[in-house]
Amino acid sequence: TIPVPSKRLVWAEPGDRLVMETGGGAGIGEPRRRDIACVADDVRNGVLSGRAARDVYGVVIDAKTGELDANKTSQLRERRPD
């Protein structure tokens, strides 16, 4: 196995095998129905930005504390359902 850095041109020869592993996926179901605690965990773990949590999942994370704001999340989800 030879690791190849991102955005690099690599020549393959007949018989070579190329394996590509990518992260992420489309997920299952409506994003705004996802458990808000799971979304908050993803923000805390750096998987999601606070902006993506709000815009995609309808979950509000306090920018100063990094904590889930359940009241604002509920209000946002009521205003902008699935």
Side-chain angles (χ1 to χ4, degrees), residues 41-58:
D41 285 343
D42 282 350
V43 173
R44 248 186 311 283
N45 294 324
V47 176
L48 265 179
S49 68
R51 182 176 184 174
R54 182 190 68 236
D55 294 348
V56 176
Y57 295 95

Side-chain angles (χ1 to χ4, degrees), residues 25-75:
I28 298 172
E30 295 295 327
R32 289 181 182 271
R33 292 187 181 174
R34 186 163 181 235
D35 182 87
I36 62 175
C38 291
V39 175
D41 285 343
D42 282 350
V43 173
R44 248 186 311 283
N45 294 324
V47 176
L48 265 179
S49 68
R51 182 176 184 174
R54 182 190 68 236
D55 294 348
V56 176
Y57 295 95
V59 175
V60 179
I61 305 294
D62 186 283
K64 292 181 183 176
T65 66
E67 295 298 315
L68 169 66
D69 188 323
N71 290 330
K72 287 184 180 177
T73 293
S74 179
Q75 293 170 3

